[in-house]
Amino acid sequence: HLVLVCGHAVLTTHAALTRESVEKDEAWALEPFQRGQVSTFVSHIRRGVRMAAQDKNALLLFSGGETRQGAGPRSEAQSYWEVADAVGWEGASSVRDRSLTEEHA
């Protein structure tokens, strides 16, 4: 089974990520129309982790390329994986081993 979470933004911070810091607009390279939407992105990440946790046969795939030139060589997919790690995989650390990134969507 596949749980697919599509990326919509790229993290720009290299600082230690926390549950709180990933929710701030300043941590992301956002288009003007995306301001104020970071909590929605994070909720999608968290929901994907919870869905994968409910199915031991599920693979969690974060999808999204390097869409923000100003963010450097960082992808949406890797950013979402980093957020999942920062929020502690919603208490389901086994999902970490079943999580991949796809950066050529």
Side-chain angles (χ1 to χ4, degrees):
H1 305 124
L2 177 65
V3 176
L4 177 63
V5 179
C6 298
H8 298 286
V10 177
L11 278 172
T12 57
T13 185
H14 293 282
L17 296 175
T18 64
R19 290 178 184 270
E20 294 77 27
S21 69
V22 298
E23 296 270 358
K24 296 181 178 180
D25 281 5
E26 296 77 27
W28 298 82
L30 300 172
E31 296 294 334
F33 69 89
Q34 291 177 305
R35 297 265 174 224
Q37 296 180 15
V38 169
S39 62
T40 300
F41 305 155
V42 174
S43 70
H44 290 168
I45 296 163
R46 296 175 82 147
R47 178 67 176 138
V49 170
R50 287 193 306 272
M51 289 176 71
Q54 293 173 352
D55 181 350
K56 292 180 183 180
N57 296 315
L59 174 70
L60 176 59
L61 184 65
F62 295 112
S63 178
E66 296 176 9
T67 59
R68 303 294 188 274
Q69 184 176 9
R74 296 177 63 114
S75 71
E76 295 170 344
Q78 185 62 37
S79 296
Y80 276 37
W81 191 98
E82 290 178 27
V83 170
D85 202 48
V87 299
W89 299 95
E90 292 293 287
S93 59
S94 66
V95 174
R96 187 178 200 269
D97 296 332
R98 297 182 281 122
S99 299
L100 299 172
T101 62
E102 185 286 313
E103 301 176 343
H104 301 284

